[in-house]
Amino acid sequence: MRVNIMSSSKKTTSSREDDAELRRGPWTLEEDTLLVHYIARHGEGRWNLLAKRAGLRRTGKSCRLRWLNYLKPDVKRGNLTPQEQLLILDLHSKWGNRWSKIAQHLPGRTDNEIKNYWRTRVQKQARHLRIDANSTAFQDIIRRSWMPRLLQKIGGSSTSSSAMTCQSPAVSQVIPSYAPQFSAFPTALPPPQQQEAPFDMSVMMHCMEHREQTSDSEHGTSSCISSAESMNVSQMSRLSEYPKSPFQAMGNNGDYSTLVKDCYYVDSNFYDMEAINLATMSVPGDLGISAADRHMGDGDWAGYDFGDTVWNMDELWQFRNLQGKEI
DNA sequence: AACTTTGTCAACCGCTACTGG
DNA sequence: GCCAGTAGCGGTTGACAAAGT
């Protein structure tokens, strides 16, 4: 654990003293509380000042990162939906490793999350195939094999759920150009009543306070259920089915940020996470994605998140061998 | 059961761009 | 124009958990 690791010894006395006061490593419950409370009152920005005034022994940089990637209420957790994966594939093919730019088109997803996803899922597949993730061979595999299957996955789910009926503009631009057979998908925007609820800081604070009172809990998704008393039975059961919180995965018992995030799981489930994740996308500007300039960059494997694996490694190897290049 | 390997992802680092004095 | 402070980006690290042996 990288807690309270101090900086190098080649520093001036004053900077050493400064560093000695600075904490590093994983954030504690108390630090999260301080940060969230401060931002609730004063808003974000001026991070160095914020860190000092909030009483945090952290750099402004660290505070900013913690807020943007973890504590900010609209940060979305859980597996990326096939639609999101498709969008990432497409945008990465256009922009490369411009994670922040890509993240702008996936509301609730952070650049860090997308970057991690790419490195752990996509590049892994390239490694397994022993192909350079940036090679044209790998691009072809993605374009010809993986993306159509991902699209099939999306198409299949659209018949049984509302996922595709609430397709985002961004995704609806991607789908037809990669898979004409799916171009008839409804692309209607969500009706107004399904728009994502505006963030209510008071709810978040309530959740935090509640969590503080019940910090013995080690559960994840149900820890903030009290804030969602109006949930019906089906909503509750869906909640328990939702992929585990990364906070649970971290094993941070008593970390109240779990609670913060749980609140948003709950809220999100009010709107049907699967359907609304992309439905509520507000895509700034026109992606300008055309069939003509569509050329894949690094690939997405797409199947990794699904129990019924979409990708068949044998088939991919066939693909690779047919390509006969770039080992 | 014990140990090793692999995968995940939060957090850090270094750099560049921007802004205001 | 120069400088310092700040914000933001992309690459990398390392702790931890899960999977494999």
Side-chain angles (χ1 to χ4, degrees):
Chain A
M1 185 71 76
R2 293 169 298 170
V3 181
N4 287 330
I5 301 166
M6 299 311 166
S7 299
S8 76
S9 56
K10 297 191 285 183
K11 301 227 172 186
T12 64
T13 304
S14 60
S15 67
R16 252 188 275 123
E17 284 168 358
D18 288 345
D19 282 358
E21 292 175 3
L22 289 176
R23 276 184 48 78
R24 294 170 73 183
W27 280 62
T28 65
L29 173 62
E30 187 185 2
E31 288 174 314
D32 282 344
T33 310
L34 286 171
L35 182 56
V36 170
H37 275 77
Y38 186 90
I39 290 176
R41 292 200 192 95
H42 304 99
E44 50 185 285
R46 302 289 304 239
W47 294 103
N48 283 336
L49 193 64
L50 181 154
K52 280 179 187 158
R53 290 189 174 168
L56 287 160
R57 285 153 53 197
R58 295 272 182 174
T59 64
K61 227 173 176 178
S62 181
C63 293
R64 175 183 163 271
L65 211 60
R66 182 64 178 175
W67 174 252
L68 293 178
N69 287 345
Y70 203 78
L71 296 174
K72 198 173 180 182
D74 55 4
V75 172
K76 202 156 63 186
R77 295 284 164 186
N79 291 340
L80 292 162
T81 65
Q83 290 93 334
E84 288 174 311
Q85 293 162 13
L86 185 66
L87 190 55
I88 292 171
L89 284 177
D90 185 73
L91 296 180
H92 188 274
S93 74
K94 284 186 69 184
W95 300 325
N97 296 357
R98 301 284 304 278
W99 307 119
S100 180
K101 192 170 180 179
I102 292 170
Q104 286 173 11
H105 294 271
L106 288 118
R109 301 296 185 182
T110 67
D111 55 351
N112 211 31
E113 190 177 11
I114 293 169
K115 182 170 56 182
N116 281 334
Y117 161 78
W118 190 267
R119 289 185 60 81
T120 59
R121 312 299 217 287
V122 180
Q123 290 195 339
K124 181 177 72 179
Q125 292 306 303
R127 275 200 311 274
H128 285 171
L129 293 168
R130 281 179 262 163
I131 296 177
D132 178 2
N134 293 313
S135 70
T136 54
F138 193 60
Q139 291 170 12
D140 278 349
I141 288 171
I142 290 160
R143 189 178 61 248
R144 296 185 196 177
S145 177
W146 292 3
M147 289 188 79
R149 294 203 180 208
L150 182 55
L151 285 159
Q152 281 180 350
K153 189 80 184 174
I154 296 170
S157 67
S158 75
T159 60
S160 58
S161 78
S162 56
M164 288 301 293
T165 61
C166 296
Q167 196 55 266
S168 78
V171 173
S172 67
Q173 287 184 50
V174 172
I175 288 173
S177 54
Y178 277 109
Q181 66 270 33
F182 292 120
S183 61
F185 283 166
T187 57
L189 289 168
Q193 67 270 23
Q194 286 186 325
Q195 295 291 346
E196 202 163 330
F199 169 56
D200 183 347
M201 186 62 88
S202 65
V203 173
M204 184 166 169
M205 301 304 262
H206 166 77
C207 290
M208 295 173 122
E209 280 154 19
H210 173 79
R211 170 60 175 270
E212 282 160 4
Q213 289 162 9
T214 59
S215 60
D216 57 327
S217 67
E218 62 204 26
H219 48 304
T221 53
S222 62
S223 60
C224 192
I225 237 59
S226 65
S227 71
E229 289 160 350
S230 60
M231 285 179 86
N232 62 31
V233 172
S234 67
Q235 284 167 333
M236 292 286 278
S237 63
R238 235 184 7 239
L239 183 66
S240 65
E241 291 164 8
Y242 201 69
K244 72 176 182 182
S245 156
F247 299 86
Q248 282 178 275
M250 287 172 65
N252 288 346
N253 290 354
D255 179 345
Y256 97 34
S257 54
T258 305
L259 177 96
V260 176
K261 307 317 293 185
D262 290 344
C263 293
Y264 296 97
Y265 274 111
V266 172
D267 288 347
S268 296
N269 275 278
F270 273 118
Y271 304 100
D272 184 349
M273 276 300 276
E274 278 301 309
I276 209 70
N277 280 353
L278 281 146
T280 55
M281 277 185 168
S282 57
V283 181
D286 188 346
L287 287 177
I289 299 166
S290 68
D293 62 0
R294 208 164 299 293
H295 52 92
M296 285 304 301
D298 285 352
D300 190 312
W301 57 218
Y304 248 72
D305 289 335
F306 306 119
D308 53 334
T309 305
V310 173
W311 314 121
N312 178 319
M313 285 304 283
D314 291 339
E315 189 174 338
L316 294 179
W317 271 102
Q318 285 175 10
F319 239 107
R320 177 182 174 281
N321 293 334
L322 284 172
Q323 298 285 325
K325 52 186 172 183
E326 304 198 43
I327 306 288

